[in-house]
Amino acid sequence: MRRSITRRIAKLIATAAFVAAPAAHAGLTIGGITFADDSFADQLLASSGVYTTSGGSLAAVLTDTSLASWAMSTSPGAFVTLAFNDNLVVNGAGNDIALFERGHEAYEYSQEGFDSFNITINGITRLYFTTETTTIVDDHNVNMTMLDLSFFGIAEGATIDRLQIGMDYDTRGSLPQLMLVGAIHSVTAVPEPATWASMLLGMLGLGGIAWRRGRRTVRSD
């Protein structure tokens, strides 16, 4: 009986670990980069300014996986802070993060350097210009820029879980319309020790209930 209960507890813990670390699946390919579904920023932590969106809340359009949704602001000092909860961004070889924005209409001719974002990571702010990709959505070019975490003082192999994106930089009369932020290099986020402890206590509690039920069954027999 005890062996059976032990096996049940082990199975429950294994199931919990599997749920805590979901598998990544191939998602979008943009600008020659293929992103897993869980590689995109998935939480809006903070924002400043008044925003226009393609439809839906600011949080919704910036944390989905669609290139058809976007947000922009004409407010001075406007910014958004986005977080990566499923996957943490890792400082790997080369660029580590890609930002995508809605560019000019596809038939328009434009020069390199379409729009700009002020990116703040680790207390360091740098200006990045977007360039055109070969992807077109709703008759608009999809523009992108890429970030190397090394330029923000992040050590090789270290991770980050958030970044701040300035949305108010005017590039020759054009403001950015942010679509997606994706991690080029990422690792599955591991639950905090306190979270694991709570999960294990819960599993042990369920195991205790099963053990007591087993004892009652044996006594009744």
Side-chain angles (χ1 to χ4, degrees):
M1 177 61 68
R2 289 183 180 178
R3 289 182 180 178
S4 176
I5 294 171
T6 301
R7 285 196 296 268
R8 290 181 186 177
I9 294 174
K11 185 176 180 180
L12 288 170
I13 293 174
T15 301
F18 176 79
V19 172
H25 302 283
L28 292 176
T29 297
I30 322 165
I33 307 169
T34 299
F35 296 89
D37 290 335
D38 55 2
S39 294
F40 296 100
D42 53 13
Q43 183 182 3
L44 176 65
L45 293 179
S47 65
S48 175
V50 177
Y51 287 83
T52 299
T53 74
S54 55
S57 68
L58 179 62
V61 300
L62 293 183
T63 60
D64 59 16
T65 57
S66 171
L67 287 171
S69 59
W70 49 266
M72 68 172 293
S73 177
T74 58
S75 301
F79 71 85
V80 295
T81 302
L82 298 177
F84 295 82
N85 292 317
D86 293 334
N87 278 17
L88 302 179
V89 186
V90 181
N91 184 6
N95 293 310
D96 306 298
I97 301 176
L99 284 79
F100 299 93
E101 63 121 2
R102 186 173 185 253
H104 299 285
E105 289 186 271
Y107 62 83
E108 290 185 356
Y109 173 77
S110 54
Q111 298 174 349
E112 184 176 359
F114 300 90
D115 288 314
S116 310
F117 295 102
N118 273 310
I119 309 298
T120 302
I121 300 173
N122 195 31
I124 298 173
T125 300
R126 299 177 65 90
L127 180 65
Y128 284 85
F129 292 88
T130 65
T131 55
E132 195 175 272
T133 70
T134 57
T135 301
I136 297 174
V137 176
D138 295 336
D139 288 331
H140 282 76
N141 293 313
V142 175
N143 298 339
M144 72 178 291
T145 189
M146 294 185 286
L147 323 176
D148 185 340
L149 292 182
S150 296
F151 293 112
F152 294 89
I154 305 299
E156 183 179 351
T159 63
I160 66 164
D161 65 355
R162 68 194 62 193
L163 77 165
Q164 180 177 300
I165 305 169
M167 301 284 288
D168 64 336
Y169 194 94
D170 190 326
T171 306
R172 300 189 304 275
S174 180
L175 290 166
Q177 301 175 57
L178 183 61
M179 292 172 161
L180 293 174
V181 180
I184 299 173
H185 299 129
S186 64
V187 62
T188 301
V190 177
E192 296 291 333
T195 302
W196 275 114
S198 298
M199 291 171 59
L200 289 173
L201 285 174
M203 296 303 101
L204 289 173
L206 290 173
I209 293 172
W211 180 73
R212 286 192 295 271
R213 287 179 178 174
R215 289 192 64 185
R216 285 198 297 268
T217 301
V218 170
R219 288 176 180 176
S220 63
D221 291 343

